[in-house]
Amino acid sequence: MKAQLLALAVSALLLAPVSAQGVFTAKVDLKRCMIGNQAGLLKVLSLQRKVLFTRGIDDRDQARMDEASRSALLSALNIEPAQYANVADQLMRDWNKLPRKEAIAVISTIAASPDFAASERVETFLVGVMKSSNDIYARRQAVLGLAVLPRVRPETVAAVVARYETCQNLWETFPIQQFFEYHAAEIRGDKDFSDVRGRLAAVKSLYTPAVLGYLDT
């Protein structure tokens, strides 16, 4: 009887999700993420659906997170700092086979750290999702991800402006306000600022006054 119980215990350990043993497994661990449309990665649950860490409600003021919250969220997903680059690469490579919104939110959380060395690679990926994905939730989350990056390149600003000019869906374009709010200072310093501002001013959207207000402040 004892031998049978031991065998069952060993089998249970072998069949348990890898994440239960402290190793990030995208297909398992992304399902533990709770994502806010305005704030990105908000909370992480255990395999038993208990809250391991939460940042609060889905509010745009929560989009930018401090390093303590970022570290706690990622650690709850079994992602430690030494793994950030490898996990981001894995999620970018496989994201279309994974829960997309969740994958993008985790990638963005990793890349939003000022010390993350591969942020430009993530930036390029997020622009591609924003421009080409057929998943509206992924596109919106990608814009939010670009908004919270520490810095963005002029070509990324141009891509976001083009998206704003051509997308009529107010729900999808909502995070574009955050993009220009958070990056206003660097955009004002770019040599193409006048052109960027002129193009934005021409967009007939409820968000245009707010966008211009961030750029002009």
Side-chain angles (χ1 to χ4, degrees):
M1 186 66 174
K2 288 183 179 179
Q4 290 177 321
L5 290 173
L6 180 60
L8 287 171
V10 171
S11 296
L13 286 173
L14 291 174
L15 293 173
V18 175
S19 63
Q21 301 172 29
V23 178
F24 176 76
T25 305
K27 288 185 177 180
V28 174
D29 291 313
L30 289 178
K31 294 177 182 177
R32 300 197 288 118
C33 297
M34 298 290 103
I35 310 301
N37 289 317
Q38 297 185 78
L41 182 57
L42 275 177
K43 65 179 67 173
V44 175
L45 309 179
S46 70
L47 292 173
Q48 294 74 37
R49 312 306 289 175
K50 303 291 185 182
V51 176
L52 295 178
F53 186 82
T54 179
R55 294 196 295 123
I57 62 174
D58 182 23
D59 184 273
R60 58 172 293 167
D61 291 336
Q62 293 277 73
R64 282 174 141 178
M65 64 181 78
D66 57 47
E67 287 303 303
S69 294
R70 187 191 333 280
S71 176
L73 285 166
L74 295 173
S75 181
L77 288 168
N78 303 314
I79 307 171
E80 300 304 327
Q83 301 169 296
Y84 286 176
N86 287 339
V87 170
D89 284 342
Q90 174 198 350
L91 294 177
M92 287 189 288
R93 183 183 65 243
D94 298 335
W95 83 279
N96 223 13
K97 306 172 188 175
L98 299 167
R100 296 172 185 172
K101 180 173 70 172
E102 288 78 2
I104 291 171
V106 172
I107 293 167
S108 300
T109 300
I110 292 172
S113 173
D115 299 325
F116 183 65
S119 61
E120 287 193 2
R121 192 157 68 245
V122 171
E123 183 180 346
T124 299
F125 167 78
L126 292 174
V127 169
V129 173
M130 177 190 70
K131 293 168 65 174
S132 304
S133 175
N134 59 6
D135 184 335
I136 189 172
Y137 297 97
R139 294 198 302 269
R140 175 172 167 148
Q141 200 66 220
V143 176
L144 183 59
L146 290 169
V148 299
L149 287 178
R151 64 199 63 84
V152 290
R153 294 166 292 187
E155 53 265 40
T156 294
V157 176
V160 173
V161 172
R163 188 65 188 165
Y164 189 49
E165 290 173 322
T166 56
C167 181
Q168 304 300 314
N169 189 310
L170 290 173
W171 185 85
E172 181 179 342
T173 56
F174 182 90
I176 283 176
Q177 297 174 95
Q178 290 159 282
F179 178 88
F180 287 103
E181 178 183 2
Y182 302 156
H183 296 297
E186 60 185 300
I187 293 171
R188 282 196 298 270
D190 190 82
K191 61 182 176 61
D192 296 325
F193 173 66
S194 294
D195 178 61
V196 166
R197 192 192 182 287
R199 289 173 62 186
L200 289 168
V203 178
K204 299 184 186 308
S205 169
L206 291 175
Y207 304 141
T208 296
V211 168
L212 297 178
Y214 296 132
L215 292 176
D216 293 342
T217 299

